[in-house]
């Protein structure tokens, strides 16, 4: 794929430009040079590109008929036939020109499966666990929704639109295809920035096509196996069981973690005993929980789905040796995991992982860390499904309201990645004959998507990136019940350049707004990295850009996420659209 200009060359040019230190580059109060616009109001005047509301719109006007039908499927997307290399220095990264590779096809090119996450050059040396396109399709009357969860780091809306186009071409009766990435950092690169070097994409067109084909095939298979279903609701908060940091931690202050696990279990109609939670024939289990799947760490050389592999395996098949040293039986069916509000590096940070026998593991990551966390979360999910307080209902009404909007790419890193072909997706509303950048008055937009989805007593909000949990639940006000150590551990006293909580909003937060919209809801789901991949969504009160070249220079302290965000104005604008969407009673217009 051609590159014009190269990413490395563009970075050098950018750092040589006035943005790196010219005192006349910007007025004193304009913010960092090349940071882009920061006020969302004018931007919000642009109407949605398209929107759909079901029931109500053409093709789904009638709504529910009182019967829920469900089908599920899981098809592998594990890469095959990739080339490997000799890791002479043992760092799990390929050193071009130094470390030989197995040139199976004799073309002189290292045809590797580049692993997404932890920098460039991670060429897969094998497969540890499979990666999947896991699908559950729900239908009630005139509304059909297909949820697809991919074991990939991210999935652009443009790729999702190709899946939807293929579903329509195949004549499959689906009103809405929702595609989520589990955000696993041990699977093949599907975004582009984790290739062999900073200047080369990690994308394989053939692999992208394979994922799309398997996703469509999984939807088709799920549709073919649909049957009438009942739905069971279950949920659990980790803090009610033990120290949350046995499984998940936060790497950025304020220390706020959405530690709730939300579960929808779809059971073949009439097979479950309402008095016996967890009984009946499972068709599918949907589970929503927030944590980065990167517990195997940066030196893992094998493709895998990280901790969600063990989570899903335990829920479906059980485990021979559980917490009491006895077997734990699985519930069968297909388990579909969708990640949640995992921004601010929610994942393996400051953990206190223990085996079933109480012995502790050293460090935060490794193969055993991923297995133990995934296995224990699977058992916790099964306990919740079989525990008291769950509800089983005859049916679940379905509804959704989705809209697509433009969002401006202010991040200089992302501008270069798009213009050089590292990111492969369409750009809009810019002058193609001129360089992209705020300094040139020529910022490009991408098209993204937001949605509110109702599945019975569960209400869901999609986020096209990594949402900071503080934006979902707040959590930084007393009693600080989303901070493992309480209010006194909300901010580390040794933190450099910490967030200014005096500037933090008091709510209502997104979860509050969703409950105001649906007071009858038993569960509020945040479907993270769903329908697009736009990086981190950082709260306004803690958004800091580094000196020098914005988005390339990192501010002191824990401010990595800003360098991988769409820009200083991006999240406020998307949040404004989310609020409009949540509060909308009809079509959204100017």
């Amino acid at each position: 794929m051609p590159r014009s200009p190269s990413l490395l060359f563009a970075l050098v040019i950018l750092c040589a430009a006035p943005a790196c230190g010219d005192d006349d580059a910007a007025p004193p109060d304009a913010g960092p040079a090349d940071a882009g616009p920061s006020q969302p109001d004018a931007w919000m005047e642009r109407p949605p590109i398209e929107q759909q509301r079901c029931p109500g719109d053409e093709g789904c006007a009638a709504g529910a008929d009182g019967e829920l039908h469900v089908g599920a499927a899981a098809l592998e997307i594990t890469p095959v036939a990739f080339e490997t290399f000799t890791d002479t220095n043992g760092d799990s990264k390929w050193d071009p020109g130094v470390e030989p590779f197995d040139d199976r096809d004799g073309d002189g090119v290292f045809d590797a499966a580049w692993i997404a996450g932890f920098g460039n050059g991670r060429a897969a040396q094998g497969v540890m666990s499979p990666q999947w396109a896991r699908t559950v399709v729900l239908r009630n009357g005139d509304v059909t929704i297909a949820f697809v969860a991919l074991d990939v780091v991210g999935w652009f809306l443009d790729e999702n639109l190709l899946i939807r186009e293929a579903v329509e071409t195949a004549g499959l009766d689906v009103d809405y295809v929702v595609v989520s990435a589990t955000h696993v950092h041990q699977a093949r690169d599907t975004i582009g920035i984790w290739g062999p070097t900073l200047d080369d994409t990690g994308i394989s067109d053939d692999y992208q096509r394979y994922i799309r084909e398997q996703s469509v095939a999984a939807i088709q298979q799920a549709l073919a196996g649909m049957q009438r279903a009942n739905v069971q609701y279950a949920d659990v908060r980790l803090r009610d069981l033990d120290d949350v940091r046995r499984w998940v931690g936060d790497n950025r202050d304020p220390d706020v973690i959405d530690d709730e696990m939300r579960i929808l279990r779809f059971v073949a109609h009439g097979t479950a005993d309402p008095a016996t939670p967890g009984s009946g024939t499972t068709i599918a289990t949907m589970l929503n929980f927030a944590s980065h799947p990167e517990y195997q760490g940066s030196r893992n050389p094998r493709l895998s789905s990280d901790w969600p592999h063990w989570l899903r395996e335990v829920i479906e098949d059980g485990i021979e040796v559980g917490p009491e040293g006895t077997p734990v039986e699985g519930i069968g069916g297909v388990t579909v995991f969708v990640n949640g509000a995992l921004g601010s590096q929610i994942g393996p940070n400051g953990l206190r992982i223990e085996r079933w026998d109480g012995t502790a593991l050293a460090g935060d990551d490794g193969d055993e860390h991923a297995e133990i966390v995934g296995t224990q979360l699977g058992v916790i999910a099964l306990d919740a499904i079989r525990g008291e307080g769950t509800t089983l209902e005859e049916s679940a009404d379905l509804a959704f309201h989705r809209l697509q909007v433009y969002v401006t790419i202010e991040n200089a890193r992302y501008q270069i990645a798009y213009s050089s072909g590292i990111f492969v997706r369409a750009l809009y509303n810019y002058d193609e004959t001129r360089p992209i950048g705020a300094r040139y008055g020529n910022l490009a937009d991408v098209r993204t998507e937001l949605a509110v989805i109702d599945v019975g007593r569960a209400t869901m909000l999609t986020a096209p990136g990594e949402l900071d949990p503080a934006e979902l639940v707040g959590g930084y006000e007393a009693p600080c019940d989303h901070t493992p150590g309480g209010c006194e551990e909300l901010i580390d006293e040794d933190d450099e350049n910490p967030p200014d909580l005096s500037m933090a909003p008091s709510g209502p937060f997104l979860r509050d707004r969703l409950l105001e919209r649906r007071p009858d809801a038993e569960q509020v789901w945040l479907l993270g990295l769903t329908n697009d991949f736009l990086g981190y969504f950082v709260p306004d009160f803690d958004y800091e850009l580094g000196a020098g070249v914005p988005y390339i220079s990192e501010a002191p302290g824990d401010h990595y996420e800003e360098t991988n965000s769409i820009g200083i104005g991006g999240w406020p604008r998307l949040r404004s659209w989310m609020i409009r969407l949540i509060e909308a009673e009809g079509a959204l217009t100017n």
Side-chain angles (χ1 to χ4, degrees):
M1 181 180 299
R3 303 280 182 268
S4 61
S6 77
L7 183 57
L8 282 173
F9 177 75
L11 286 173
V12 170
I13 293 298
L14 187 58
C15 286
C20 284
D22 188 332
D23 292 339
D24 298 325
D29 297 325
D34 284 340
S38 60
Q39 299 301 319
D41 297 342
W43 183 88
M44 289 295 294
E45 292 302 317
R46 290 188 285 181
I49 305 164
E50 69 174 49
Q51 57 185 316
Q52 180 186 14
R53 189 167 191 147
C54 290
D57 284 357
E58 182 179 355
C60 57
D65 64 6
E67 290 189 4
L68 177 67
H69 291 80
V70 178
L75 297 182
E76 274 202 53
I77 57 170
T78 310
V80 296
F82 52 87
E83 295 177 350
T84 58
F85 73 106
T86 302
D87 189 9
T88 56
N89 63 8
D91 67 352
S92 297
K93 292 189 177 184
W94 179 55
D95 189 355
V98 176
E99 295 176 321
F101 62 89
D102 179 17
D103 190 10
R104 299 176 188 174
D105 57 7
D107 65 354
V109 177
F110 185 19
D111 300 312
W114 302 106
I115 300 178
F118 302 109
N120 298 95
R122 291 179 70 207
Q125 297 289 73
V127 176
M128 180 176 184
S129 63
Q131 296 94 70
W132 300 90
R134 288 173 170 261
T135 302
V136 56
V137 180
L138 311 179
R139 174 176 293 157
N140 195 328
D142 209 17
V143 180
T144 304
I145 305 173
F147 293 92
V148 181
L150 300 174
D151 283 325
V152 297
V153 72
W155 194 247
F156 284 144
L157 175 62
D158 300 52
E159 293 281 3
N160 190 11
L161 295 179
L162 292 174
I163 292 176
R164 292 177 185 173
E165 180 182 332
V167 166
E168 184 176 355
T169 300
L172 305 181
D173 183 15
V174 178
D175 296 299
Y176 191 23
V177 176
V178 182
V179 180
S180 303
T182 62
H183 197 51
V184 59
H185 284 48
Q186 312 296 349
R188 187 166 191 164
D189 186 7
T190 51
I191 294 300
I193 58 176
W194 291 282
T197 67
L198 182 68
D199 198 34
D200 292 292
T201 183
I203 289 285
S204 161
D205 292 339
D206 289 341
Y207 185 59
Q208 301 291 108
R209 185 182 308 110
Y210 177 58
I211 293 175
R212 296 195 300 268
E213 291 171 350
Q214 290 294 84
S215 298
V216 175
I219 293 172
Q220 192 165 20
Q221 191 176 115
L223 284 166
M226 292 190 85
Q227 57 182 303
R228 189 174 174 187
N230 306 135
V231 58
Q232 180 187 2
Y233 302 85
D235 58 82
V236 60
R237 285 197 63 180
L238 299 186
R239 63 167 289 151
D240 295 332
L241 305 177
D242 205 332
D243 186 345
V244 170
R245 287 164 293 196
R246 281 193 60 180
W247 305 284
V248 63
D250 191 357
N251 195 44
R252 175 172 174 153
D253 290 341
D255 187 1
V256 174
I257 300 173
D258 176 23
D259 63 317
E260 184 178 12
M261 183 184 293
R262 297 163 280 266
I263 302 166
L264 291 175
R265 176 172 171 255
F266 301 100
V267 188
H269 177 67
T271 63
D273 177 3
T276 308
S279 63
T281 302
T282 304
I283 302 169
T285 303
M286 287 185 68
L287 187 146
N288 182 221
F289 179 71
S291 186
H292 274 72
E294 57 183 30
Y295 285 64
Q296 287 181 255
S298 62
R299 299 178 71 87
N300 166 53
R302 295 160 296 169
L303 295 166
S304 82
S305 47
D306 208 86
W307 68 262
H309 165 72
W310 286 280
L311 168 89
R312 297 178 302 217
E313 192 172 68
V314 168
I315 293 173
E316 294 173 358
D317 302 327
I319 184 175
E320 292 185 2
V321 181
E324 304 298 327
T326 57
V328 177
E329 187 177 352
I331 56 174
V334 173
T335 300
V336 178
F337 163 69
V338 182
N339 224 317
L342 48 62
S344 78
Q345 297 293 324
I346 301 299
N349 303 297
L351 300 185
R352 303 168 185 176
I353 299 175
E354 296 179 4
R355 301 179 181 88
W356 291 129
D357 63 6
T359 59
L361 269 67
D364 290 336
D365 54 38
D367 289 350
E368 188 178 8
H369 298 70
E371 181 176 1
I372 287 177
V373 168
T375 298
Q376 291 183 0
L377 290 177
V379 171
I380 288 169
L382 288 172
D383 287 345
I385 289 168
R386 294 180 171 128
E388 297 180 1
T390 68
T391 57
L392 179 70
E393 295 195 358
E394 182 79 6
S395 183
D397 289 352
L398 305 177
F400 67 87
H401 187 180
R402 70 173 183 90
L403 72 156
Q404 292 180 7
V405 297
Y406 291 123
V407 59
T408 302
I409 303 301
E410 304 161 68
N411 186 331
R413 286 176 181 266
Y414 286 11
Q415 292 164 4
I416 295 167
Y418 285 120
S419 61
S420 65
I422 297 293
F423 289 165
V424 181
R425 68 181 300 170
L427 298 177
Y428 302 88
N429 306 324
Y430 74 108
D431 185 347
E432 297 183 27
T433 67
R434 297 164 51 216
I436 296 175
R439 184 162 303 280
Y440 310 105
N442 191 34
L443 292 180
D445 294 341
V446 292
R447 184 177 185 170
T448 195
E449 183 168 297
L450 306 168
V452 173
I453 305 169
D454 292 318
V455 179
R457 296 190 181 277
T459 186
M460 305 172 177
L461 176 67
T462 68
E466 300 171 73
L467 182 70
D468 192 303
E471 292 285 349
L472 178 66
V473 299
Y476 42 76
E477 298 175 319
C480 305
D481 63 349
H482 284 87
T483 298
C487 292
E488 60 274 17
E489 294 188 14
L490 190 61
I491 295 181
D492 186 341
E493 61 181 14
D494 296 325
D495 194 4
E496 182 182 9
N497 197 17
D500 183 358
L501 292 184
S502 70
M503 300 296 292
S506 58
F509 303 102
L510 290 173
R511 186 178 188 275
D512 303 327
R513 294 179 184 275
L514 287 160
L515 286 172
E516 288 172 2
R517 173 183 169 271
R518 283 285 313 277
D520 64 326
E522 291 187 13
Q523 298 179 355
V524 175
W525 292 43
L526 189 285
L527 308 184
L529 297 121
T530 295
N531 291 330
D532 208 353
F533 180 85
L534 295 177
Y536 286 94
F537 299 147
V538 181
D540 306 21
F541 65 85
D542 193 32
Y543 198 104
E544 298 281 350
L545 291 175
V549 183
Y551 307 107
I552 294 173
S553 302
E554 184 177 332
D558 295 325
H559 292 281
Y560 159 78
E561 289 76 19
E562 287 88 336
T563 67
N564 279 288
S565 68
I566 51 178
I568 195 168
W571 167 237
R573 293 167 183 135
L574 288 177
R575 180 177 55 215
S576 296
W577 274 122
M578 282 183 177
I579 293 170
R580 285 194 184 189
L581 182 63
I582 292 169
E583 296 177 350
E585 295 183 0
L588 285 168
T589 58
N590 276 347

